[in-house]
Amino acid sequence: MVLERFNSLKVTFGYSHIETLTVLRELVLLYMKLESHSMVVRMLRETTIEIIKKEKHSKTLHEAAKTMGSIYIACGMVEQGHEMIHEIRLQVITGSASSDKSSFKLDKSIGKVCYVFLVTFEQIIRGQMNTSYSEIMADLLTETILYESFTRCINNKSHTEVILARAASLRAFLITRKRKVQVDVLEHQAHEIFVKKWGSTFKARSEISLIFCISLLEELGHHDTHNVKIGHSACISSVAEVESLLNKDQIQQAYEVALYALNFINQQRAYHQLQNVPYGFKLSAFMAGRGLEKPLKPGIDPKVRNDMMELSRKIIHEVLQACKDSKIDFVRLQLRELNDLAGLLGAQQNHVDLEVRLFKPDRYPHYHANHDRRQWLLNLLWSSREVQKTWSSSTIISIGRRYVQATYANKDHRSRAIRLCEDICYNLRRVWGSLYPETLEMSELLSQLYTSMGHYREAMGVHENILRLVVEGDDGDDNTVDTMDSKRVKMHVEWLKQCYLRLQGWDKSPHTYENLVHAILHMEEYRHKPEWKGVRGNEHWDKKEPASDSIGRFVVPKEWEFEDPKTANKQDDDAKANVMYKQPGLGMRRATSNCGLNYFGNFDHEEHQRNGHGTKKSEAAKPLNFDGDDDGYESAAEEVGDYQNGDGANGKPKMSVRSADGVRV
């Protein structure tokens, strides 16, 4: 009886009439009692579709949606109601069903008037207190506008970059609404467009190009679609995707995506722009297994690992080449980025680019011979320290130290590395004294270089001078450090002994060294320290004792960063803050390599000239000059012949300056 009445009413008044829907409620509740769930689902779906197809009045649609929503809830079919909403939205907006097996297909002629039913129905199903009508309508209209914008670009045959940007905006919206099915359909559609444009240029498995395309859509979805920079977005997205894959131990996929990304980015010439350079460094670092949240899993196929390292080198080469071609100034990069790059080149054992001195014609055949003396990274950083306004003096010295080490690691430039280290040590002694920590570190490096080159006499002199200052306790300058840690003093005594064993004797009178070591061993500051227990004076040193193969010799660093990452980050943050809060009209004080050097009051260096009475007269203290040398510091050789001739009436000394390259200027 109820079924007959329902059939009669829907013929007489239509599906959307209130009487028809009232009887429908009664009918489906009866079927629910009989546990005929499939029948209930079919009847509710049929009624909903017929209302959308045939009813054109918004008020009637609104009331019908409220009634249908309440019926779904009364039958306990809220989930089926949500499925109905999603399928109807998909077909109304896109004109296609979620799958070929969809239970119904709407006619494309259905207008936007059905939005009233959809919005009201969804509001009832979701609960009226949770979401307002206007919010749901705005959501539906936004999705419609985004989809129409996407399809319009396709129909108008717009640039592929623009189409992908529109797809990315739509995808971002769908993801926030958890429309996974629609997102999958859209991603594959965008992938087809991407491959049609670039597929023939970059050969890769479809799976890899899809991963790359989806990551690109993810990044494009964060930006304005009217200002598409697909190369820039590819730089960012590839780094994020490769990092994600590596952290999930999907090593092979990460490698293939990185390779695909490099080819695409090169095609877009994206690395020719400074803003993209740091992303190239990161991509290279990830391929080298650096900068990840967790280390790469053990047991990676050696071939894959070698391929990754080779790709890491290739990425760096392409980035640097792009920068050289476009004359990009690396000095403008942040300190943390330069620090990471130094570490990366060291991990790759890329000492040529790390030092980096001469560009070899066979490695860069497209570089003309007049570029052979172009120097890069550590050389560039060292040479550019004068224009750096935010680097601390300790950072600059650390760069110099790494520069010396990288230069020495190149077998062809070891003599040059020693000259550079000599010059840096000389200037540090002048400014901070021989026992200042940074000066000691550089002096110890110099001794290691001397020893590794077989210059044992010179190495012995380094330790003798340091130990003598420890004994004397005063270098005549109240601004410099006059003390030294006990363990470090002991180390210099041991290194002095190794020089003696390697040289098979002393550089000066044995008595000189006996008195020096004896004085050290009997200093109150050290003699009772546990580390000095068993240390004997040099009168007990035996030439027949074999010298150590490792103590006091240069060892190539395992890590090549010149600054602690936290310190580098802080300097970058401080630099940003200084720029942000700099007041108009107020100058910023420069913090260059003179910071901590020139700012010390006065320092005396024993450069002398004879006055008319034949007595020595010290030159007044002066700040370090940056005189055009390769290294920028005054060279240790400047003091040779400094006071041979006066300069005119004022009698200023004439300087003979030697750069780290040995060129006098």
Side-chain angles (χ1 to χ4, degrees):
M1 291 291 293
V2 179
L3 179 59
E4 290 178 2
R5 188 181 174 196
F6 173 68
N7 290 331
S8 174
L9 287 172
K10 70 182 183 182
V11 172
T12 305
F13 299 109
Y15 283 90
S16 59
H17 196 274
I18 187 62
E19 286 192 41
T20 306
L21 296 179
T22 301
V23 174
L24 175 64
R25 175 192 288 271
E26 182 181 350
L27 180 60
V28 296
L29 289 176
L30 285 173
Y31 278 124
M32 288 298 294
K33 291 180 180 180
L34 297 173
E35 297 185 355
S36 299
H37 295 282
S38 59
M39 179 63 74
V40 173
V41 171
R42 184 183 64 79
M43 292 184 69
L44 292 178
R45 181 174 61 242
E46 177 185 329
T47 303
T48 302
I49 299 305
E50 289 300 319
I51 292 173
I52 291 176
K53 284 182 177 179
K54 296 178 179 178
E55 186 57 57
K56 303 301 180 184
H57 294 86
S58 58
K59 185 175 181 181
T60 304
L61 285 168
H62 178 70
E63 294 300 327
K66 289 172 63 178
T67 304
M68 287 300 300
S70 65
I71 294 174
Y72 268 88
I73 293 173
C75 295
M77 294 190 172
V78 174
E79 183 178 350
Q80 288 83 350
H82 282 296
E83 292 174 358
M84 178 66 72
I85 292 168
H86 292 158
E87 184 65 26
I88 294 174
R89 284 184 68 143
L90 178 63
Q91 294 194 32
V92 168
I93 294 174
T94 68
S96 59
S98 59
S99 68
D100 295 335
K101 297 181 180 180
S102 178
S103 57
F104 66 91
K105 292 187 178 180
L106 297 176
D107 191 278
K108 295 182 179 180
S109 62
I110 294 177
K112 290 185 174 61
V113 68
C114 72
Y115 284 11
V116 175
F117 179 91
L118 265 178
V119 172
T120 306
F121 183 61
E122 183 172 349
Q123 185 185 17
I124 299 298
I125 292 294
R126 292 169 61 178
Q128 295 190 38
M129 298 300 293
N130 296 330
T131 313
S132 68
Y133 180 92
S134 59
E135 288 176 335
I136 299 175
M137 179 60 80
D139 189 78
L140 182 59
L141 291 174
T142 299
E143 183 178 349
T144 302
I145 292 170
L146 290 173
Y147 184 79
E148 289 178 347
S149 175
F150 171 57
T151 54
R152 191 183 308 116
C153 287
I154 295 176
N155 296 333
N156 293 341
K157 297 181 179 180
S158 302
H159 290 295
T160 304
E161 292 86 343
V162 177
I163 297 175
L164 292 177
R166 298 294 191 275
S169 297
L170 176 58
R171 177 182 176 276
F173 175 85
L174 294 175
I175 287 176
T176 61
R177 301 311 187 270
K178 299 180 180 179
R179 311 272 173 74
K180 187 177 184 306
V181 174
Q182 289 177 256
V183 170
D184 290 342
V185 172
L186 179 63
E187 287 175 349
H188 283 82
Q189 188 176 0
H191 179 233
E192 291 178 2
I193 296 170
F194 180 89
V195 170
K196 184 177 179 181
K197 171 73 174 181
W198 290 294
S200 60
T201 307
F202 317 118
K203 299 298 182 181
R205 294 187 294 133
S206 178
E207 175 191 359
I208 299 304
S209 60
L210 176 61
I211 293 174
F212 177 80
C213 181
I214 291 174
S215 69
L216 184 58
L217 292 175
E218 178 70 24
E219 177 58 29
L220 288 171
H222 299 153
H223 301 284
D224 181 7
T225 57
H226 298 289
N227 186 25
V228 182
K229 296 181 179 178
I230 197 166
H232 177 61
S233 295
C235 290
I236 300 174
S237 65
S238 59
V239 167
E241 185 61 31
V242 169
E243 181 179 21
S244 175
L245 291 170
L246 289 174
N247 286 330
K248 291 185 289 188
D249 294 331
Q250 296 175 321
I251 309 300
Q252 181 64 35
Q253 283 188 337
Y255 166 74
E256 293 184 53
V257 170
L259 179 59
Y260 193 91
L262 176 63
N263 292 331
F264 181 83
I265 291 168
N266 280 343
Q267 193 273 341
Q268 297 292 320
R269 293 177 61 83
Y271 288 143
H272 287 74
Q273 301 172 23
L274 180 63
Q275 63 176 342
N276 298 327
V277 169
Y279 297 107
F281 294 163
K282 286 184 179 180
L283 189 62
S284 177
F286 290 158
M287 285 294 96
R290 295 171 57 87
L292 299 168
E293 291 182 0
K294 62 177 183 178
L296 293 176
K297 67 177 183 180
I300 299 176
D301 185 340
K303 182 181 182 304
V304 175
R305 195 69 187 90
N306 291 336
D307 289 344
M308 291 174 64
M309 184 57 72
E310 186 58 34
L311 179 57
S312 176
R313 296 188 184 98
K314 183 178 180 181
I315 293 170
I316 280 294
H317 169 70
E318 295 295 340
V319 173
L320 301 186
Q321 192 60 59
C323 292
K324 294 159 193 168
D325 292 343
S326 299
K327 299 181 180 179
I328 291 178
D329 185 5
F330 275 91
V331 176
R332 295 167 56 194
L333 293 175
Q334 292 188 351
L335 184 63
R336 64 169 69 91
E337 295 164 349
L338 296 169
N339 191 45
D340 290 343
L341 177 58
L344 174 60
L345 291 175
Q348 296 175 345
Q349 298 183 355
N350 189 342
H351 301 306
V352 175
D353 281 333
L354 182 61
E355 176 192 352
V356 166
R357 42 85 184 167
L358 306 182
F359 281 80
K360 295 184 178 180
D362 59 339
R363 186 172 182 186
Y364 303 107
H366 43 280
Y367 256 69
H368 193 267
N370 61 5
H371 291 284
D372 280 350
R373 294 197 60 80
R374 177 173 290 185
Q375 299 176 337
W376 191 76
L377 197 52
L378 290 173
N379 186 323
L380 175 64
L381 300 183
W382 181 246
S383 301
S384 68
R385 64 195 180 281
E386 180 69 353
V387 300
Q388 295 295 344
K389 298 182 179 181
T390 59
W391 292 0
S392 68
S393 56
S394 61
T395 295
I396 293 172
I397 294 169
S398 296
I399 290 172
R401 180 180 178 84
R402 286 287 186 245
Y403 181 30
V404 170
Q405 291 169 328
T407 305
Y408 189 86
N410 188 325
K411 295 181 180 180
D412 296 334
H413 291 154
R414 289 185 170 175
S415 296
R416 182 173 181 271
I418 290 177
R419 290 198 302 272
L420 175 60
C421 194
E422 287 172 344
D423 292 345
I424 296 176
C425 288
Y426 168 76
N427 282 277
L428 292 178
R429 288 195 302 270
R430 293 181 65 193
V431 178
W432 285 334
S434 296
L435 302 186
Y436 195 78
E438 277 84 352
T439 310
L440 281 172
E441 289 179 2
M442 195 62 68
S443 297
E444 288 159 5
L445 174 60
L446 179 60
S447 171
Q448 291 173 330
L449 301 184
Y450 281 149
T451 299
S452 298
M453 288 288 287
H455 301 166
Y456 307 132
R457 196 179 305 277
E458 288 80 356
M460 183 179 292
V462 171
H463 303 297
E464 177 193 351
N465 292 335
I466 291 173
L467 293 173
R468 193 166 300 286
L469 275 177
V470 172
V471 172
E472 295 174 357
D474 189 0
D475 59 1
D477 190 340
D478 294 336
N479 291 320
T480 59
V481 177
D482 297 325
T483 60
M484 191 168 159
D485 177 72
S486 173
K487 292 182 179 179
R488 201 164 198 168
V489 175
K490 183 191 174 190
M491 182 192 75
H492 279 275
V493 172
E494 176 61 29
W495 286 18
L496 178 66
K497 177 182 178 180
Q498 293 299 322
C499 292
Y500 167 76
L501 296 177
R502 289 164 182 145
L503 189 62
Q504 287 293 291
W506 297 108
D507 181 38
K508 300 177 182 177
S509 167
H511 185 68
T512 301
Y513 297 97
E514 289 176 7
N515 290 341
L516 177 60
V517 176
H518 182 271
I520 291 287
L521 295 177
H522 289 80
M523 289 182 67
E524 288 296 326
E525 295 91 332
Y526 309 132
R527 61 184 299 181
H528 300 299
K529 298 283 186 180
E531 58 266 19
W532 288 91
K533 186 177 181 180
V535 177
R536 307 177 69 185
N538 51 0
E539 66 272 12
H540 299 287
W541 296 352
D542 187 355
K543 294 180 183 179
K544 296 180 181 180
E545 179 183 344
S548 171
D549 293 332
S550 58
I551 296 177
R553 292 186 181 275
F554 174 73
V555 178
V556 176
K558 293 181 179 180
E559 302 293 336
W560 282 90
E561 289 87 348
F562 52 80
E563 189 63 272
D564 179 83
K566 292 182 180 179
T567 304
N569 290 341
K570 186 178 184 303
Q571 289 195 46
D572 286 336
D573 294 340
D574 290 345
K576 292 178 182 177
N578 289 337
V579 173
M580 184 178 299
Y581 293 107
K582 182 182 178 183
Q583 299 181 18
L586 295 180
M588 258 188 189
R589 189 166 191 177
R590 298 183 64 196
T592 67
S593 54
N594 288 334
C595 179
L597 302 180
N598 287 355
Y599 296 162
F600 282 102
N602 294 326
F603 53 86
D604 296 319
H605 180 63
E606 294 183 358
E607 294 175 315
H608 304 288
Q609 67 182 112
R610 298 276 182 179
N611 61 19
H613 302 286
T615 59
K616 291 184 178 180
K617 181 179 179 181
S618 296
E619 180 192 7
K622 62 181 183 300
L624 290 179
N625 295 323
F626 293 86
D627 46 28
D629 290 5
D630 171 86
D631 54 37
Y633 278 117
E634 284 188 299
S635 164
E638 289 175 344
E639 62 182 329
V640 179
D642 279 349
Y643 297 91
Q644 293 177 354
N645 296 298
D647 179 14
N650 56 17
K652 291 183 179 179
K654 180 181 291 184
M655 287 292 202
S656 176
V657 182
R658 187 199 71 199
S659 72
D661 285 321
V663 180
R664 292 186 178 273
V665 294

